[in-house]
Amino acid sequence: MKHARILLAAAAAAPLALAGCGGGEDDGPVTLRMTTWSASEDHLAMLDEIADAYIADHPDVEAIEFDPLPFEGYTSTLTTQIAGDNAPDLAWILESAAPDFVSSGALVPLGDTLSEAEGYEYDDLVPAATELWREGDELYAYPFSTSPFGVFVNNDLLTAAGQPTAAELVASGEWTWERVVAAGAAVHAATGTDGLVIRDFDYSGWDNLSTLWTGWGARAWSEDGTECGFDDPEMTEALTFMHDAVFAQEAMPGPGTTADFFAGEAAMTVTQISRAGLLAEAPFGWDLVPLPAGPAGEYSVIGQAGLGVLTVAPHPEEAADFLAYMTSPENSAKLAQYFPPPRASQLTAEVLGQANPLLTPEQLQTVVIDRIDEGVVKPGHTGQAQLDQAVRAALDPLWTPDADVAGVLAELCTAIDPLLAQ
């Protein structure tokens, strides 16, 4: 197998050239290891169930270990493991890291393995869901989670502030960012709780702001990744709108403050359906609706996670075979309990409803099913870890009340232009 070379950022954000050969002679059954960023007991129990069924029919594999790594710094930790000759066989991969892994030769091609697996139904995979994980005609990772962002809404807080419910705003055609921020400001003024939270942003996870700026037609960089988009008029307008929402209207919590929607501390939050379980015992009336329309119209933003086999894996052939088993139609339906699948046959309100009983068929249809084909994936780029740090640092001056938004964004592009050109 060819040497794998990937360019990623380790803890010090320095590029690493990683090389090695996967596979080797084994005298007996092997143990596979797969890294994840979830330590959820429910997630791991489901994975163990799938693994146990596989092991029962595959005597060449004696154990499959799932190794949760902290989400913060996940890619850097994984890269460090690879560099330290401690590579897992399989790994979850963030959408932001996909360009590095897919283009570098770090992942084993999966097309033949999956298409030739009995009963796999390879053609059932939605092209829009697999696009990020392909190079040419070859698939290098299976997008086990393809989840559009939506907005969870606390209708009790909206009502207490004299605001229409989310469903009423959707029905009247007023579910727009302008109207949402106005409602959030009203909630804050009337109740003291926060209006709107973009979950996992916290003034550091800047890529989550794509759930807002895409409504203005803005993007972090050009489609080919060579030109900075932060100083474009659409981005300036979008982040000026957000800046006003935070500092002028107080519709969103400011830097250094947190608000947990699921604990009743905010009226609305932008996140994915995997969070719905947190509402099982919610003491307030809630709803789930699509992202608000922006000046550019309606849109969708998708978060993805891929599953791949590393070329430096100790047991790449066995790992690829387990990946095919784990993502078969039967097991994909099990994964759908937490992760929206990339299979057209399973992207139905009936299937997703079985796995997400708290959500109505209408919510699943309008927020998830109808949004996958048209969705824009969160921004990613080769050298993403270095870019991530550079963008985060360059955006810091934006989060003050008197910030010069256009000036900050111009400086941001100056900072990342050399990285985009690499």
Side-chain angles (χ1 to χ4, degrees), residues 32-34 36 38-56 62-68 92 322 325-326 331 334-335 338:
L32 301 178
R33 181 167 68 93
M34 181 176 119
T36 79
S38 173
S40 162
E41 292 183 2
D42 292 338
H43 292 175
L44 295 176
M46 175 189 62
L47 294 174
D48 282 335
E49 178 186 343
I50 294 172
D52 289 345
Y54 179 82
I55 291 169
E62 65 179 354
I64 299 173
E65 300 173 350
F66 299 101
D67 182 12
W92 284 8
F322 174 62
Y325 177 84
M326 180 180 173
N331 287 320
K334 295 177 181 178
L335 293 171
Y338 305 103

Side-chain angles (χ1 to χ4, degrees), residues 379-405:
H381 198 285
T382 54
Q384 179 70 21
Q386 290 172 284
L387 273 168
D388 182 62
Q389 291 190 4
V391 173
R392 185 186 308 147
L395 280 176
D396 278 347
L398 186 62
W399 312 127
T400 59
D402 58 351
D404 173 8
V405 177

Side-chain angles (χ1 to χ4, degrees), residues 91-165:
W92 284 8
I93 302 168
L94 286 161
E95 74 276 284
S96 59
D100 276 319
F101 278 90
V102 170
S103 67
S104 64
L107 299 174
V108 172
L110 296 175
D112 289 345
T113 299
L114 299 185
S115 61
E116 295 172 6
E118 184 177 357
Y120 192 82
E121 300 178 16
Y122 186 69
D123 291 341
D124 191 34
L125 302 185
V126 177
T130 61
E131 181 179 359
L132 182 65
W133 309 96
R134 292 184 178 275
E135 188 169 57
D137 294 331
E138 184 57 76
L139 182 68
Y140 286 92
Y142 174 90
F144 70 90
S145 181
T146 300
S147 185
F149 285 82
V151 183
F152 284 95
V153 181
N154 183 327
N155 281 325
D156 290 0
L157 283 176
L158 289 178
T159 300
Q163 297 297 302
T165 66

Side-chain angles (χ1 to χ4, degrees), residues 94-96 126-133 143-150 207-208 210-212 214 270-272 291 299-305 340-342 347 367-380:
L94 286 161
E95 74 276 284
S96 59
V126 177
T130 61
E131 181 179 359
L132 182 65
W133 309 96
F144 70 90
S145 181
T146 300
S147 185
F149 285 82
D207 56 336
N208 288 292
S210 62
T211 58
L212 181 148
T214 305
V270 176
T271 189
Q272 294 159 299
L291 293 173
Y299 66 101
S300 175
V301 175
I302 294 173
Q304 278 199 318
L347 286 173
V367 177
V368 181
I369 299 167
D370 291 345
R371 302 286 169 161
I372 286 180
D373 281 342
E374 64 188 44
V376 176
V377 179
K378 288 171 58 182

